[in-house]
PDB file of all heavy atoms in Angstrom:
ATOM      1  N   GLU A 217     136.830  75.684  32.496  1.00  0.00           N
ATOM      2  CA  GLU A 217     137.652  74.704  33.241  1.00  0.00           C
ATOM      3  C   GLU A 217     139.034  74.670  32.679  1.00  0.00           C
ATOM      4  O   GLU A 217     139.203  74.219  31.556  1.00  0.00           O
ATOM      5  CB  GLU A 217     137.007  73.350  33.205  1.00  0.00           C
ATOM      6  CG  GLU A 217     137.824  72.225  33.715  1.00  0.00           C
ATOM      7  CD  GLU A 217     137.569  71.899  35.172  1.00  0.00           C
ATOM      8  OE1 GLU A 217     136.716  72.561  35.749  1.00  0.00           O
ATOM      9  OE2 GLU A 217     138.289  71.051  35.679  1.00  0.00           O
ATOM     10  N   PRO A 218     140.037  75.142  33.386  1.00  0.00           N
ATOM     11  CA  PRO A 218     141.348  75.134  32.829  1.00  0.00           C
ATOM     12  C   PRO A 218     141.920  73.675  32.859  1.00  0.00           C
ATOM     13  O   PRO A 218     141.558  72.907  33.705  1.00  0.00           O
ATOM     14  CB  PRO A 218     142.202  76.018  33.760  1.00  0.00           C
ATOM     15  CG  PRO A 218     141.259  76.489  34.825  1.00  0.00           C
ATOM     16  CD  PRO A 218     140.054  75.657  34.759  1.00  0.00           C
ATOM     17  N   PRO A 219     142.817  73.317  31.906  1.00  0.00           N
ATOM     18  CA  PRO A 219     143.406  72.027  31.874  1.00  0.00           C
ATOM     19  C   PRO A 219     144.450  71.852  32.959  1.00  0.00           C
ATOM     20  O   PRO A 219     144.753  72.833  33.697  1.00  0.00           O
ATOM     21  CB  PRO A 219     144.044  71.953  30.480  1.00  0.00           C
ATOM     22  CG  PRO A 219     144.374  73.336  30.192  1.00  0.00           C
ATOM     23  CD  PRO A 219     143.314  74.195  30.832  1.00  0.00           C
ATOM     24  N   MET A 220     144.927  70.639  33.225  1.00  0.00           N
ATOM     25  CA  MET A 220     146.101  70.373  34.132  1.00  0.00           C
ATOM     26  C   MET A 220     145.761  70.524  35.568  1.00  0.00           C
ATOM     27  O   MET A 220     146.534  70.898  36.366  1.00  0.00           O
ATOM     28  CB  MET A 220     147.278  71.286  33.795  1.00  0.00           C
ATOM     29  CG  MET A 220     147.853  71.070  32.433  1.00  0.00           C
ATOM     30  SD  MET A 220     149.405  71.932  32.243  1.00  0.00           S
ATOM     31  CE  MET A 220     148.982  73.559  32.398  1.00  0.00           C
ATOM     32  N   GLY A 221     144.519  70.162  35.964  1.00  0.00           N
ATOM     33  CA  GLY A 221     144.203  70.067  37.381  1.00  0.00           C
ATOM     34  C   GLY A 221     144.452  71.262  38.216  1.00  0.00           C
ATOM     35  O   GLY A 221     144.273  72.375  37.757  1.00  0.00           O
ATOM     36  N   PRO A 222     144.842  71.070  39.483  1.00  0.00           N
ATOM     37  CA  PRO A 222     144.999  72.157  40.425  1.00  0.00           C
ATOM     38  C   PRO A 222     145.972  73.253  39.977  1.00  0.00           C
ATOM     39  O   PRO A 222     145.713  74.443  40.163  1.00  0.00           O
ATOM     40  CB  PRO A 222     145.507  71.523  41.692  1.00  0.00           C
ATOM     41  CG  PRO A 222     145.170  70.094  41.571  1.00  0.00           C
ATOM     42  CD  PRO A 222     145.242  69.810  40.117  1.00  0.00           C
ATOM     43  N   LEU A 223     147.109  72.834  39.336  1.00  0.00           N
ATOM     44  CA  LEU A 223     148.055  73.826  38.830  1.00  0.00           C
ATOM     45  C   LEU A 223     147.375  74.743  37.809  1.00  0.00           C
ATOM     46  O   LEU A 223     147.463  75.927  37.782  1.00  0.00           O
ATOM     47  CB  LEU A 223     149.257  73.159  38.277  1.00  0.00           C
ATOM     48  CG  LEU A 223     150.362  74.061  37.710  1.00  0.00           C
ATOM     49  CD1 LEU A 223     151.014  74.820  38.913  1.00  0.00           C
ATOM     50  CD2 LEU A 223     151.495  73.283  36.982  1.00  0.00           C
ATOM     51  N   GLY A 224     146.676  74.038  36.891  1.00  0.00           N
ATOM     52  CA  GLY A 224     145.975  74.794  35.859  1.00  0.00           C
ATOM     53  C   GLY A 224     144.971  75.746  36.478  1.00  0.00           C
ATOM     54  O   GLY A 224     144.803  76.859  35.964  1.00  0.00           O
ATOM     55  N   HIS A 225     144.302  75.292  37.566  1.00  0.00           N
ATOM     56  CA  HIS A 225     143.331  76.168  38.220  1.00  0.00           C
ATOM     57  C   HIS A 225     144.092  77.424  38.739  1.00  0.00           C
ATOM     58  O   HIS A 225     143.600  78.518  38.602  1.00  0.00           O
ATOM     59  CB  HIS A 225     142.742  75.418  39.412  1.00  0.00           C
ATOM     60  CG  HIS A 225     141.511  74.714  38.991  1.00  0.00           C
ATOM     61  ND1 HIS A 225     140.337  75.239  38.806  1.00  0.00           N
ATOM     62  CD2 HIS A 225     141.358  73.384  38.687  1.00  0.00           C
ATOM     63  CE1 HIS A 225     139.432  74.366  38.435  1.00  0.00           C
ATOM     64  NE2 HIS A 225     140.062  73.186  38.326  1.00  0.00           N
ATOM     65  N   ALA A 226     145.229  77.201  39.402  1.00  0.00           N
ATOM     66  CA  ALA A 226     145.920  78.321  40.029  1.00  0.00           C
ATOM     67  C   ALA A 226     146.335  79.352  38.928  1.00  0.00           C
ATOM     68  O   ALA A 226     146.095  80.517  39.048  1.00  0.00           O
ATOM     69  CB  ALA A 226     147.149  77.845  40.766  1.00  0.00           C
ATOM     70  N   VAL A 227     146.889  78.836  37.836  1.00  0.00           N
ATOM     71  CA  VAL A 227     147.365  79.717  36.763  1.00  0.00           C
ATOM     72  C   VAL A 227     146.150  80.393  36.176  1.00  0.00           C
ATOM     73  O   VAL A 227     146.080  81.560  35.938  1.00  0.00           O
ATOM     74  CB  VAL A 227     148.109  78.910  35.750  1.00  0.00           C
ATOM     75  CG1 VAL A 227     148.437  79.791  34.531  1.00  0.00           C
ATOM     76  CG2 VAL A 227     149.440  78.375  36.298  1.00  0.00           C
ATOM     77  N   GLY A 228     145.136  79.586  35.918  1.00  0.00           N
ATOM     78  CA  GLY A 228     143.889  80.082  35.281  1.00  0.00           C
ATOM     79  C   GLY A 228     143.258  81.218  36.074  1.00  0.00           C
ATOM     80  O   GLY A 228     142.784  82.211  35.522  1.00  0.00           O
ATOM     81  N   ARG A 229     143.202  80.986  37.413  1.00  0.00           N
ATOM     82  CA  ARG A 229     142.595  82.008  38.232  1.00  0.00           C
ATOM     83  C   ARG A 229     143.432  83.266  38.315  1.00  0.00           C
ATOM     84  O   ARG A 229     142.918  84.410  38.352  1.00  0.00           O
ATOM     85  CB  ARG A 229     142.278  81.461  39.646  1.00  0.00           C
ATOM     86  CG  ARG A 229     141.271  80.374  39.600  1.00  0.00           C
ATOM     87  CD  ARG A 229     140.813  79.976  40.894  1.00  0.00           C
ATOM     88  NE  ARG A 229     139.899  81.030  41.497  1.00  0.00           N
ATOM     89  CZ  ARG A 229     139.386  80.941  42.667  1.00  0.00           C
ATOM     90  NH1 ARG A 229     139.577  79.906  43.419  1.00  0.00           N
ATOM     91  NH2 ARG A 229     138.598  81.882  43.148  1.00  0.00           N
ATOM     92  N   ALA A 230     144.745  83.082  38.318  1.00  0.00           N
ATOM     93  CA  ALA A 230     145.653  84.314  38.305  1.00  0.00           C
ATOM     94  C   ALA A 230     145.464  85.100  37.064  1.00  0.00           C
ATOM     95  O   ALA A 230     145.540  86.307  36.994  1.00  0.00           O
ATOM     96  CB  ALA A 230     147.087  83.862  38.445  1.00  0.00           C
ATOM     97  N   LEU A 231     145.247  84.391  35.969  1.00  0.00           N
ATOM     98  CA  LEU A 231     145.162  85.093  34.634  1.00  0.00           C
ATOM     99  C   LEU A 231     143.609  85.235  34.232  1.00  0.00           C
ATOM    100  O   LEU A 231     143.329  85.519  33.103  1.00  0.00           O
ATOM    101  CB  LEU A 231     145.857  84.282  33.564  1.00  0.00           C
ATOM    102  CG  LEU A 231     147.390  84.077  33.802  1.00  0.00           C
ATOM    103  CD1 LEU A 231     147.967  83.307  32.652  1.00  0.00           C
ATOM    104  CD2 LEU A 231     148.086  85.495  33.934  1.00  0.00           C
ATOM    105  N   SER A 232     142.750  85.151  35.266  1.00  0.00           N
ATOM    106  CA  SER A 232     141.370  85.174  34.880  1.00  0.00           C
ATOM    107  C   SER A 232     140.929  86.501  34.308  1.00  0.00           C
ATOM    108  O   SER A 232     139.862  86.658  33.702  1.00  0.00           O
ATOM    109  CB  SER A 232     140.506  84.859  36.167  1.00  0.00           C
ATOM    110  OG  SER A 232     140.701  85.888  37.017  1.00  0.00           O
ATOM    111  N   GLY A 233     141.816  87.562  34.478  1.00  0.00           N
ATOM    112  CA  GLY A 233     141.494  88.828  33.867  1.00  0.00           C
ATOM    113  C   GLY A 233     141.402  88.762  32.373  1.00  0.00           C
ATOM    114  O   GLY A 233     140.754  89.671  31.760  1.00  0.00           O
ATOM    115  N   ILE A 234     142.075  87.809  31.781  1.00  0.00           N
ATOM    116  CA  ILE A 234     142.195  87.803  30.288  1.00  0.00           C
ATOM    117  C   ILE A 234     140.818  87.353  29.686  1.00  0.00           C
ATOM    118  O   ILE A 234     140.265  88.083  28.925  1.00  0.00           O
ATOM    119  CB  ILE A 234     143.345  86.881  29.836  1.00  0.00           C
ATOM    120  CG1 ILE A 234     144.670  87.560  30.244  1.00  0.00           C
ATOM    121  CG2 ILE A 234     143.294  86.657  28.310  1.00  0.00           C
ATOM    122  CD1 ILE A 234     145.937  86.782  30.003  1.00  0.00           C
ATOM    123  N   PRO A 235     140.236  86.145  30.082  1.00  0.00           N
ATOM    124  CA  PRO A 235     138.889  85.871  29.607  1.00  0.00           C
ATOM    125  C   PRO A 235     137.911  86.871  29.965  1.00  0.00           C
ATOM    126  O   PRO A 235     136.957  87.216  29.237  1.00  0.00           O
ATOM    127  CB  PRO A 235     138.592  84.465  30.141  1.00  0.00           C
ATOM    128  CG  PRO A 235     139.560  84.216  31.208  1.00  0.00           C
ATOM    129  CD  PRO A 235     140.777  85.088  30.919  1.00  0.00           C
ATOM    130  N   ALA A 236     138.034  87.460  31.223  1.00  0.00           N
ATOM    131  CA  ALA A 236     137.097  88.437  31.665  1.00  0.00           C
ATOM    132  C   ALA A 236     137.065  89.649  30.783  1.00  0.00           C
ATOM    133  O   ALA A 236     136.050  90.218  30.412  1.00  0.00           O
ATOM    134  CB  ALA A 236     137.343  88.821  33.135  1.00  0.00           C
ATOM    135  N   THR A 237     138.309  90.101  30.410  1.00  0.00           N
ATOM    136  CA  THR A 237     138.435  91.299  29.503  1.00  0.00           C
ATOM    137  C   THR A 237     137.883  91.003  28.147  1.00  0.00           C
ATOM    138  O   THR A 237     137.204  91.746  27.573  1.00  0.00           O
ATOM    139  CB  THR A 237     139.875  91.767  29.449  1.00  0.00           C
ATOM    140  OG1 THR A 237     140.406  92.063  30.696  1.00  0.00           O
ATOM    141  CG2 THR A 237     140.064  92.996  28.585  1.00  0.00           C
TER     142      THR A 237
END
Side-chain angles (χ1 to χ4, degrees):
Chain A
E217 170 92 4
M220 295 189 299
L223 181 66
H225 272 281
V227 174
R229 295 191 72 180
L231 300 179
S232 64
I234 294 172
T237 302

